[in-house]
Amino acid sequence: MVSIPSEGGVERSLLSWLDGVGWETHGQDGERGANVLDENYERDSHEVIYWNLLAEQVVTLNEEVTEDNVEKFVSSLRRDLDAENLMDGNCAFHQLLTKGKTFTVQRDDGATDTIYVDLIDYENPENNRFHAVNQFSVSRETTIRPDVSLFVNGLPLVTMELKSQAQDNDWHDAVSDLLAYQEDVPRLFVPGLFNIAADTMELRYGAVGAPKEFYEPWNDAPAEYEDDNAMRQAIKALCNPNSILDLLKNFVFYERRAGGDAKIVPRYMQYYAVNRILDRVREGIHKRGLIWHTQGSGKSFTMLYAAENLLSRDVARNPQVFIIVDTDKLNSQMRDQLANLSLEQWTEAESIDHLQQLIEDGQSELVLTTIQKFEDVDPDTQGNDEVIVMSDEAHRFMEADLGSRLDAALPDCYHFGFTGTPVREGERHEDRNTFREFSPEGEDYLHRYSVKQGIDDGLILPVFFELRHEMEWEIDEAGLDEEFEQEFRGMSTDEKREFIRDTVNATTLAEIEPRVERAVEEIDTHYDEHVAPNGWKGMVVTPSRRSAAMYGERLIGLRGEDEVEVLYTATKDDPDLIQQFHTDSEERESIVKAFKKTDEEAGEETPKLLVVHNMLLTGFDAPILKTMFLDRNLKNHNLMQAIARTNRPAEGKEHGEIVDFQGVFENIDEALDYDAETKAYAARDKDELYEDLVEQVETVMEIFDGIPKDDTQEAAYDAVERVSTHPERREFKQGFRHLQNLYEAVAPDGRLVREGVERKYKWLSRVHVAFKRTTSGDDDPEDDMREKTREIIGENIEIGEIKRDFPTYKLGEEYLEDVEGLDNPAVKASQIAHATREHLHPKENQNPRYKRLSERVTDIVERWQGEEIGDPEAVEALKSVEEQILQVEEDAEEHGMDKAEFAIYTHLTEETPESIDSDEQAETVAAEIVSAFEERIDRGYNGWKTNQQTIAEIERILLDVLVVDHDLGHLIHEDEGFVDAMRDYLIQNHA
């Protein structure tokens, strides 16, 4: 028998992998695995914890908690789930999970003791119960049913949502569902560690509360979990019980942020690098190590995770940990980071004397300092024999004699260097060499995360370069010769040549007025065409303050003072040209802060171009920066740092770019003295981007083979039919999204017109608008288009015509009539399926018929997309469902009932008809329940729907009416979900 690929197949595979790494799994047989635990531990569907299982484990793990007092403890713990804000609740509950919960117990002599009760045994993982189940349903204000849930001792720590690409869904859709679950039933996520979103091919994980952009891959594994199947490897490496407990106990930070606190869990390279550091200190054989992680991978957090683990675990007895940076700015950034984190044992060295005192005292804590403060620290005063040093941007510590001062002050320490740009200037001992400084013999690095890995993982973007260094100047050679001879007439020919050789360099050229004016014209045009249309910003990097001032003057003249800012420092002795742009540190900080925001975010116009000299090439993280105009000769680690300024991801940003006025990239092998992979991925010729675009256009066009590529209604109609069902639907959605980003990145480019790429893109854009209207019900899908694409649509597509060709209607009788005007069954099916799902989604818990109809729609769509039924059959089946949806409200009106009454009546007469005497009895019971609900339930405040007292009172109402008044107690005993369903009908229809 052939099985059609579906979410269920992904679910079963994932459960089998979890089973293989130590989880007790339920649901591999395709049944609802949560039912097994629900029955074994008598869980009500509104509960998010298996309380009876947790009670068993608490008694097992804690000697002073017994069968006699455990219920009192559990009752107290229930209240810890109540939180107005998810992150506040999650943070507080994390303390209980990792530190234990205080509990007062009575001794035999009548006195009381306050103890800490462990919910999880971290020292002996085998003492815990690990369950993985599918379809764990929670019914509170609404009902959610994540695909797979991981429980430790009955506590939900990981929630997973899975999609099947064969059903036109991917992990992006899964993240959207998870975010909706957190909004709908936040209580489930109060104990949670992280969530997982996955599809047939890819997996992403994100901390509870994390927005979509912080869902990331887990693309590495220890040898025991290595696997050719990347998703299976990720599940085994990330979700094995030991890793879950390690992450929960040792790798969670909470950060205070202006827009609300955030939970932070590590990226995989951070996790594995920290564990390498811990192993090295634990083993005690080597005392050095290099962590080579590309910029943008989060080295600061790697150091902070390492510090927290070194201080809180038994790796060393009583260690003193130093984090050393080399600028006051980086020190301030790290200090602010520490101040906003949940890391407790730290201090900042405020002066050389303070640092001296901290070294002598040797207290076990984290010390933040700059390398410069070691300049006058006395040697050999180390007061702690277990010192661990972590040096940020380690390649710069070997300059001057600061490294020697550090070695003298802390002669007996572990020293780990962190850098994204190591230096290997030569093999002589006096040459700077990060590898020789930090790596034991025979080892290049302790842990590495490369540029390629960063791009593959989506943590950084590829950067493309354009060469603009060969300018055609109109030079009055005769006049120049005459002026030169006049100026230097006292020199001999050899002296003139020597003078020119010594003084005319890249900086001199950058200050020649005609060249600056020509470069400014290029910058102005390029910015308008390639950077501004989608709201990105640019930076001009100059070799001198004079050239920066010249660029600044001319760009301000062209673009205005509000758009351009110039950043460098000046003194009173500088000429007026340079003094005019002097800024102090406070002014620069304000300018940079504004530059990082859009005009909408700032509520005012913000700078669009920064002109800089000797600033912002390190430690500057601005995702809004797309383009660097480079007029400075940079090499090796300096060039890598410049590249990293443009490679930070942002929504809709396909790549960073460097426009090279110096010819730095003319010979990239000389500019970057790194391995071949780093050279290949650090920066690429922009022609490669154009080639990617051409290839992607052809890939998407192939979907429409056999359909005329003209501007007729028939062509658009046939094209939409082609992409209305699987697999073309998924290919088009994903393919056009990537194509749109590429087009926005490349256009304008004369080759687009000359080689016919633009015409193909216009045709595909028209199809995409029509496709969006038929499948999403969006009247204005072009609003979601990127700027250049929107211009194409506006200029080349008759929007009114497409609206008439592909109408979208609200659900109703007139819709069923109007949809008959379409003679394309695939388009009909797409429209009806979307409209029906949109109508049913908010109603699923309002009436049992809606739930059944929703399940039926899902079944029809899955069978249709799996090609078990054809387009006409799908249309008829979906129309039948629509008619039944409309019938629900009509039936309620006919019976003279409100929605809640009719829902209860329908449940009694259709779900449990054998358990009642008559339809009349059902009508009476429904009316009395709703009447008591309206009389006894206070609905005048936010949060009434999830309030525990409200839920308890609703259950008392049901007992009073069903058991006391009508002797229908058997309904509750025969169906464990009966009370939950009744409660949902009352809440959902009164919400």
Side-chain angles (χ1 to χ4, degrees), residues 469-682:
H469 62 298
E470 293 182 356
M471 298 184 189
E472 294 182 6
W473 299 351
E474 292 184 9
I475 299 176
D476 181 357
E477 293 186 16
L480 189 63
D481 288 344
E482 184 179 338
E483 191 171 324
F484 187 85
E485 288 300 326
Q486 182 71 22
E487 186 72 24
F488 301 105
R489 58 182 178 275
M491 292 184 180
S492 68
T493 302
D494 289 342
E495 287 173 334
K496 290 176 186 175
R497 286 176 180 165
E498 186 177 352
F499 176 81
I500 292 170
R501 186 171 59 250
D502 292 342
T503 60
V504 178
N505 52 30
T507 301
T508 311
L509 291 173
E511 296 172 357
I512 294 176
E513 195 161 319
R515 183 182 179 281
V516 171
E517 289 179 351
R518 182 72 187 90
V520 165
E521 289 175 13
E522 290 280 336
I523 292 169
D524 185 55
T525 301
H526 186 96
Y527 181 83
D528 281 339
E529 292 184 348
H530 292 274
V531 188
N534 287 305
W536 308 123
K537 298 188 178 184
M539 177 187 288
V540 183
V541 177
T542 66
S544 68
R545 292 179 304 158
R546 181 179 176 81
S547 60
M550 295 172 73
Y551 272 112
E553 278 189 340
R554 287 155 181 78
L555 284 168
I556 288 171
L558 287 171
R559 310 195 66 86
E561 289 185 353
D562 290 337
E563 282 206 8
V564 181
E565 292 283 0
V566 183
L567 297 181
Y568 54 69
T569 57
T571 69
K572 292 179 180 178
D573 297 330
D574 287 316
D576 292 344
L577 173 67
I578 293 175
Q579 276 195 49
Q580 67 176 319
F581 293 117
H582 170 70
T583 49
D584 59 34
S585 60
E586 195 171 306
E587 289 171 326
R588 289 194 293 274
E589 189 173 327
S590 176
I591 290 168
V592 169
K593 189 174 180 182
F595 178 79
K596 291 182 177 182
K597 295 181 179 180
T598 64
D599 291 351
E600 292 74 19
E601 290 168 343
E604 60 184 358
E605 185 159 1
T606 58
K608 308 301 188 298
L609 276 168
L610 293 184
V611 181
V612 302
H613 170 63
N614 270 359
M615 287 189 178
L616 305 185
L617 288 186
T618 60
F620 176 68
D621 192 351
I624 201 168
L625 174 62
K626 178 191 174 186
T627 304
M628 177 179 287
F629 300 97
L630 181 63
D631 199 12
R632 181 179 173 185
N633 193 15
L634 300 174
K635 289 191 175 183
N636 297 327
H637 63 280
N638 291 319
L639 180 56
M640 287 291 290
Q641 287 170 337
I643 290 169
R645 302 287 71 79
T646 69
N647 70 6
R648 298 301 193 262
E651 182 67 33
K653 184 177 171 185
E654 185 77 7
H655 66 95
E657 69 173 351
I658 295 179
V659 180
D660 178 9
F661 290 102
Q662 278 285 343
V664 171
F665 290 93
E666 190 172 26
N667 189 340
I668 198 165
D669 285 342
E670 289 184 8
L672 289 174
D673 183 19
Y674 288 106
D675 57 88
E677 182 188 276
T678 301
K679 289 177 184 177
Y681 283 88

Side-chain angles (χ1 to χ4, degrees), residues 703-707 717-725 728-729:
I703 298 172
F704 303 99
D705 280 351
I707 295 174
Y717 201 79
D718 290 344
V720 172
E721 179 185 15
R722 177 74 56 85
V723 294
S724 289
T725 55
E728 288 85 358
R729 176 188 174 99

